[in-house]
Amino acid sequence: MSRTKITWRRQAMGLTAGMAVAALALTACSGGGSGDKATGPAAAISQADIDKAMTTPTKLTFWTWVPDIENEVKLFEAAYPAITVDVVNVGQGADHYKKMRSALQAGKGAPDVAQIEFQHVQSFALGDNLLDLTPYIPASTSADYVPWVWKQVLSTDGSKIWSIPQDSGPMGGLYRDDILKAHNIAVPTTWDEFATAAKTLHAADPNVYLTNMPGNDMGQFTAMLWQAGARPFGWDGDKQVTINVTSPEATKVAQYWQDLIQAGDVSVDPDFTDTWYQGLANGKYAGWAPTAAWAPVFLQGTAANTSGLWRAANIPQWDASGSPVSANWGGSSDAVMKSTQNPIAAAQLALWINHDPASTLMLANTQFLFPTTNATLTSKEFSDLAPEFYGGQKVNQVFADISKTVPEDFSWLPFMDYAYSAGQESVGKAIADKGDIVGALKAWQDALTTYAKQQGFTVK
């Protein structure tokens, strides 16, 4: 996989839309704050209606930044010859969302189906922009997906299905096997062991760090809060949000990394930059931890010269006595816009691309999107792959097992673009400056609370 092909993924996760853009998003697309509120079950679309729609000549527009997804679309068009799909890449990440919101606000030009990352699904639901897919797909569909993944695409009360999961990013760790063995350091299984290993390694070789903690990636930091048991965000689907980024669990994460950073035991280079790429390739970083399930493929393209030297492992645990707990970093879905003139065909496209076994396996093994369906995660064609880059280790199986350990009860605010932007201005800056990360949580809390009230929410 070339760096060009994986760039889209990084840009998707690294949304850093400015606060002005975030404010515009809410004011431009809000439908009054009740788009997510339950209104009772919708009547199921009959199979006869689905059959009629899928045999009626129809043209759909599909906005997505997944490279080469035209190949999966061709499979769909072969299954439904009456349907033609126009795949459009209008940008990646923030650019994609900005154009979506502009089209939705204008009332014209919006796609029938669009890619939306998990953390932004609720913001489009707030604007009443998404079609509830519940009547359009079989009731049994949820059982085909990893439970925590499916939860990401539901309304806050679970009564509506806003999109179909496409890819995910359960968190684990990647380590240089040769560097750790040279210093007699075992792969850490707990965060206490991780801190000891980081100190020992850097003391033994001041040019090497066990990992790098960037200040420019609130997606990664938020995922670490998820793993630690913090639940910083919530939305009731109407006018009330929950904001708690200063909880004991969140403070524990901030204090942990503050100690490592201020001791000089981990580096703080911005990630997905030339310096960071070089650090992965030249041995400055003996690990990329915590990281996500999409990272193994990314690393093969970034540090090809280190083939055979890396291994995958579970994310270190806060509590060694309990069952393993991970979290998610990244992941996206395909949603149908409420403005579509062809809701049945559009819903079937979103479902088919992300549910058909041939399509989902192609997404996993060709585009390297980490699967969301149980069938693909357990497919030997996926889980048995043993890349030479990882010394023949079945890396996909490692992360498939990790995916089973992600807690389901993690929610988002309906303005995560602002939340990440404000977090980077406070927490991210403290990381980059090797400063007071714990104190920065308070600044993040205050910024989110003020913004929420300005948008008309009550804050719990």
Coordinates of all heavy atoms in Angstrom, one line a residue, residues 19 243 415 418 422-423 426 441-454:
M19 N -12.5 26.8 14.8 CA -13.7 27.0 15.7 C -14.8 27.7 14.9 O -16.0 27.5 15.0 CB -13.3 27.7 16.9 CG -12.4 27.0 17.8 SD -12.0 27.9 19.3 CE -10.8 26.7 20.1
I243 N -20.7 16.8 29.2 CA -19.3 17.2 29.0 C -18.6 16.9 30.3 O -18.8 17.6 31.3 CB -19.1 18.7 28.6 CG1 -19.9 18.9 27.3 CG2 -17.7 19.0 28.4 CD1 -20.0 20.4 26.9
F415 N -21.1 18.0 18.2 CA -20.2 19.0 17.7 C -18.7 18.6 17.9 O -17.9 19.3 18.5 CB -20.5 20.4 18.2 CG -20.7 20.5 19.7 CD1 -19.6 20.6 20.6 CD2 -21.9 20.5 20.3 CE1 -19.8 20.7 21.9 CE2 -22.1 20.6 21.6 CZ -21.0 20.7 22.5
Y418 N -15.7 20.8 16.7 CA -15.3 21.8 17.7 C -14.6 21.2 18.9 O -13.6 21.7 19.3 CB -16.5 22.7 18.2 CG -16.1 23.7 19.2 CD1 -15.5 24.9 18.9 CD2 -16.1 23.3 20.6 CE1 -15.0 25.8 19.8 CE2 -15.7 24.2 21.6 CZ -15.1 25.4 21.2 OH -14.7 26.3 22.1
A422 N -11.0 22.4 20.0 CA -10.7 23.0 21.3 C -9.8 22.2 22.1 O -8.9 22.7 22.9 CB -12.0 23.2 22.1
G423 N -9.9 20.9 22.0 CA -8.9 20.0 22.7 C -7.5 20.1 22.2 O -6.6 20.1 23.0
S426 N -5.9 23.2 23.8 CA -5.6 23.1 25.2 C -4.7 21.9 25.5 O -3.5 22.1 25.8 CB -6.9 23.1 26.0 OG -7.8 22.0 25.5
L441 N -6.9 20.0 30.8 CA -8.2 19.4 30.8 C -9.3 20.4 31.2 O -10.4 20.4 30.7 CB -8.3 18.1 31.6 CG -7.5 16.9 31.2 CD1 -7.6 15.8 32.2 CD2 -7.9 16.4 29.8
K442 N -9.0 21.2 32.2 CA -9.9 22.2 32.7 C -10.2 23.2 31.7 O -11.4 23.6 31.5 CB -9.3 22.8 34.0 CG -10.2 24.0 34.6 CD -11.5 23.5 35.1 CE -12.2 24.5 36.0 NZ -12.4 25.8 35.3
A443 N -9.2 23.6 31.0 CA -9.4 24.6 29.9 C -10.3 24.0 28.8 O -11.2 24.7 28.2 CB -8.1 25.0 29.3
W444 N -10.1 22.7 28.5 CA -10.9 22.0 27.5 C -12.3 22.0 27.9 O -13.3 22.3 27.2 CB -10.3 20.6 27.2 CG -10.9 19.9 26.0 CD1 -11.5 20.5 24.9 CD2 -10.8 18.5 25.7 NE1 -11.9 19.5 24.0 CE2 -11.4 18.3 24.5 CE3 -10.2 17.5 26.4 CZ2 -11.5 17.1 23.9 CZ3 -10.3 16.2 25.8 CH2 -10.9 16.0 24.6
Q445 N -12.5 21.6 29.2 CA -13.9 21.5 29.8 C -14.6 22.9 29.7 O -15.8 22.9 29.3 CB -13.8 21.1 31.3 CG -15.1 21.1 32.0 CD -15.9 19.8 31.8 OE1 -15.4 18.8 31.4 NE2 -17.2 19.9 31.9
D446 N -13.9 23.9 30.1 CA -14.5 25.3 30.0 C -14.9 25.7 28.6 O -16.0 26.3 28.4 CB -13.6 26.3 30.7 CG -13.4 26.1 32.2 OD1 -14.2 25.4 32.8 OD2 -12.4 26.6 32.7
A447 N -14.0 25.4 27.7 CA -14.2 25.8 26.3 C -15.5 25.0 25.7 O -16.3 25.6 25.0 CB -13.0 25.5 25.4
L448 N -15.5 23.8 26.0 CA -16.7 23.0 25.5 C -18.0 23.4 26.1 O -19.0 23.5 25.5 CB -16.4 21.5 25.8 CG -15.3 20.8 25.0 CD1 -15.1 19.4 25.5 CD2 -15.7 20.8 23.5
T449 N -17.9 23.7 27.4 CA -19.2 24.1 28.1 C -19.7 25.4 27.6 O -20.9 25.6 27.3 CB -18.9 24.2 29.6 OG1 -18.5 22.9 30.1 CG2 -20.1 24.6 30.4
T450 N -18.8 26.4 27.4 CA -19.1 27.7 26.9 C -19.7 27.5 25.5 O -20.8 28.1 25.2 CB -17.9 28.6 26.9 OG1 -17.4 28.8 28.2 CG2 -18.3 30.0 26.3
Y451 N -19.1 26.8 24.7 CA -19.6 26.6 23.3 C -20.9 25.9 23.3 O -21.8 26.4 22.5 CB -18.6 25.8 22.5 CG -18.9 25.6 21.1 CD1 -18.8 26.6 20.1 CD2 -19.5 24.4 20.7 CE1 -19.1 26.4 18.8 CE2 -19.9 24.2 19.3 CZ -19.7 25.2 18.4 OH -20.1 25.0 17.1
A452 N -21.1 24.9 24.1 CA -22.4 24.2 24.1 C -23.5 25.1 24.5 O -24.6 25.1 23.9 CB -22.3 23.0 25.1
K453 N -23.3 26.0 25.5 CA -24.3 26.9 25.9 C -24.6 27.9 24.8 O -25.8 28.3 24.6 CB -23.9 27.6 27.2 CG -23.9 26.6 28.4 CD -23.5 27.3 29.7 CE -23.5 26.3 30.9 NZ -23.0 26.9 32.1
Q454 N -23.6 28.4 24.2 CA -23.8 29.3 23.1 C -24.6 28.8 22.0 O -25.3 29.5 21.3 CB -22.4 29.8 22.5 CG -21.6 30.6 23.4 CD -20.2 30.9 22.9 OE1 -19.7 30.2 22.0 NE2 -19.5 31.9 23.4

